[in-house]
Amino acid sequence: MSRAPMELELPSPPKVGMVSLGCPKALVDSERILTKLRSDGYQLSPDYDQADVVLVNTCGFLDSAKEESLAAIGEAIAENGRVIVTGCMGKEADVIREKFPDVLAVTGPHQYEEVVGAVHVAAPMPPSAYLNLVPEAGLKLTPRHYSYLKISEGCNHRCSFCIIPSLRGDLVSRRPDAILREAEKLVAAGTKELLVISQDTSAYGVDLRHGAWPWKGGEVRAHMTDLAGELGKLGAWVRLHYVYPYPHVDRVIPLMAEGLVLPYLDIPFQHAAPSVLRAMKRPANEAKVLERIRAWREICPDIAIRSSFVVGFPGETEADFDYLMQWLAEARLDRVGAFRFEPVKGAAANSLPGAVPEEVKEERYARLMDLTARISAEKLRATIGRTIDVIVDLVDEEGGATGRSKADAPEIDGEVHLRDAPHVAQGDIVRVLIEDADEHDLYGLPAAL
Ligand code: SF4
């Protein structure tokens, strides 16, 4: 991730630089903070030199992310000197202040008012002459053609390897009508793809008791299936992330088959062996997931299932790992990410017995990646000769372009590389004839209109 503050060419000091680290949820937080600051009349600075104050939105999930956050704070202090820290690592204000006593303020995740207040103190607010300079859809750090849509904060689960509930608290869902209004504005402003994010999308609305709110002359319930259905009517691609396989997820699959929601499910399974899942305290940890995947594929044959897995979790035996490998061989997931277990400060899993030696973790990781890459390559090869929809992310000067199929989320999945595409533009959704494939990416040619 680039650590250069992002550019927005609008006049009027004071100027704020922003360095945004971490996951899409943190990116949405950064966008909200910037939208508020912009509406208060601040300008964004393209570089450290011109910024009156620099905001660093940190990630504190893994030790490696914390190190990256501390490095980013150090860089901002060295380059500018007037730094406000926010985000997940803000929970560890002591660590930050000890290392960087000069930081102006440290606030935690979702403390929008506190962080904006700290900016007001560090660089006093200008007169309110610029309120109308904020675009209707707010300020975005992603390209105009796709947007993350955060539907809830926090999580009611207590997975033993995760500290997100202690960082972000229990589940708090946004009202469905507010989400839909935001989505409408985004689509009106040019968004072609809405990426629904949360910590646990399938739990959306539990805290609101799945109540209903007026929407377009009818009602919409605070429930994942209702929300997905309404989002699907807005005319943009709708991609669901962080879905746990609760029974009601089955009801979203027909929406995918109908084309209302992208045939894509991001389900972080993390493991398959029952004893490891129990030790992880994973939600919706039930048997028969393989059967359900089979049933989903019958209803929606094109569904792409993405997941992530942890290898070397404490207590994972060779038999547990073999179970996972067999499960993966049967499940034939479309996109797989894997992590070697890494203790996270404050996580319950750290005190579990049966630590797996690093070299065993490495070996299991390599075996898992090898298997899943082979499955991915086979599946992508089967796409050769088909014509599919591709959303264009980037065009190059040689007449080529890079985009994604419905099976690819930005940043985490594969890409589709287009040749002979001088007429396509960023954000276009084009039909592409697939000519070639490798382990992760597809290669093709825009189909004749
Ligand atoms: S479901 Fe588990 S891993 Fe995901 S945020 Fe909640 S506690 Fe963490």
Side-chain angles (χ1 to χ4, degrees), residues 155-159 161-165 199-200 244 282-283:
C155 179
N156 289 343
H157 302 295
R158 296 295 180 261
C159 299
F161 55 80
C162 178
I163 55 166
I164 283 178
Q199 307 298 344
D200 178 359
Y244 289 96
R282 292 295 287 163

Side-chain angles (χ1 to χ4, degrees), residues 110-409:
H110 322 305
Q111 297 181 335
Y112 306 113
E113 282 170 19
E114 282 83 346
V115 72
V116 168
V119 173
H120 289 172
V121 172
M125 217 162 73
S128 58
Y130 305 103
L131 289 177
N132 57 359
L133 291 181
V134 179
E136 263 284 280
L139 292 178
K140 292 174 80 271
L141 297 174
T142 49
R144 206 163 72 105
H145 63 284
Y146 67 81
S147 301
Y148 292 101
L149 188 63
K150 196 186 312 194
I151 62 170
S152 62
E153 269 307 345
C155 179
N156 289 343
H157 302 295
R158 296 295 180 261
C159 299
S160 57
F161 55 80
C162 178
I163 55 166
I164 283 178
S166 69
L167 289 176
R168 301 195 162 218
D170 282 341
L171 178 81
V172 179
S173 302
R174 296 178 63 201
R175 278 173 43 168
D177 54 337
I179 298 170
L180 288 165
R181 259 193 300 277
E182 180 183 345
E184 272 190 333
K185 281 185 191 167
L186 289 167
V187 173
T191 287
K192 302 277 183 63
E193 178 178 2
L194 294 162
L195 300 126
V196 175
I197 56 167
S198 66
Q199 307 298 344
D200 178 359
T201 295
S202 3
Y204 169 67
V206 166
D207 54 316
L208 301 175
R209 295 169 188 266
H210 298 308
W213 271 264
W215 179 248
K216 303 235 178 242
E219 282 191 333
V220 56
R221 273 189 324 146
H223 192 284
M224 180 181 82
T225 47
D226 296 38
L227 185 66
E230 287 299 329
L231 287 171
K233 294 178 190 164
L234 300 181
W237 283 10
V238 177
R239 193 181 293 284
L240 300 178
H241 286 284
Y242 313 114
V243 174
Y244 289 96
Y246 299 117
H248 67 261
V249 170
D250 295 354
R251 296 208 296 273
V252 185
I253 313 299
L255 300 179
M256 297 181 176
E258 284 169 37
L260 272 178
V261 176
L262 287 184
Y264 178 96
L265 263 188
D266 173 6
I267 306 186
F269 287 115
Q270 310 297 21
H271 214 283
S275 59
V276 179
L277 288 171
R278 266 196 307 277
M280 288 178 165
K281 295 201 163 73
R282 292 295 287 163
N285 160 24
E286 48 174 76
K288 304 202 178 138
V289 170
L290 283 175
E291 276 173 35
R292 289 179 64 205
I293 292 176
R294 260 192 293 276
W296 295 343
R297 286 182 172 141
E298 266 170 36
I299 298 167
C300 182
D302 278 341
I303 190 169
I305 301 174
R306 175 194 168 77
S307 191
S308 54
F309 294 87
V310 173
V311 299
F313 190 77
E316 182 192 62
T317 62
E318 199 56 38
D320 291 329
F321 182 70
D322 285 345
Y323 187 103
L324 170 60
M325 292 288 277
Q326 270 184 21
W327 189 94
L328 285 167
E330 271 193 62
R332 292 180 65 77
L333 303 181
D334 301 80
R335 307 276 183 266
V336 172
F339 304 90
R340 308 154 190 87
F341 173 74
E342 192 184 313
V344 175
K345 196 171 155 212
N350 303 354
S351 55
L352 290 175
V356 176
E358 289 304 317
E359 63 277 12
V360 177
K361 279 185 205 169
E362 279 306 323
E363 184 258 339
R364 290 180 186 169
Y365 174 80
R367 277 166 63 198
L368 188 150
M369 292 311 282
D370 184 55
L371 170 67
T372 55
R374 269 187 285 131
I375 293 170
S376 172
E378 281 167 26
K379 292 195 136 195
L380 293 179
R381 241 191 336 268
T383 320
I384 296 173
R386 282 181 64 188
T387 301
I388 62 169
D389 287 332
V390 171
I391 188 163
V392 177
D393 286 326
L394 272 179
V395 291
D396 62 42
E397 285 168 6
E398 285 80 48
T402 307
R404 290 172 291 109
S405 72
K406 291 179 177 173
D408 300 306

Side-chain angles (χ1 to χ4, degrees), residues 45-61:
S45 170
D47 50 44
Y48 289 119
D49 284 352
Q50 292 177 36
D52 295 291
V53 60
V54 175
L55 281 176
V56 183
N57 190 4
T58 57
C59 173
F61 186 48

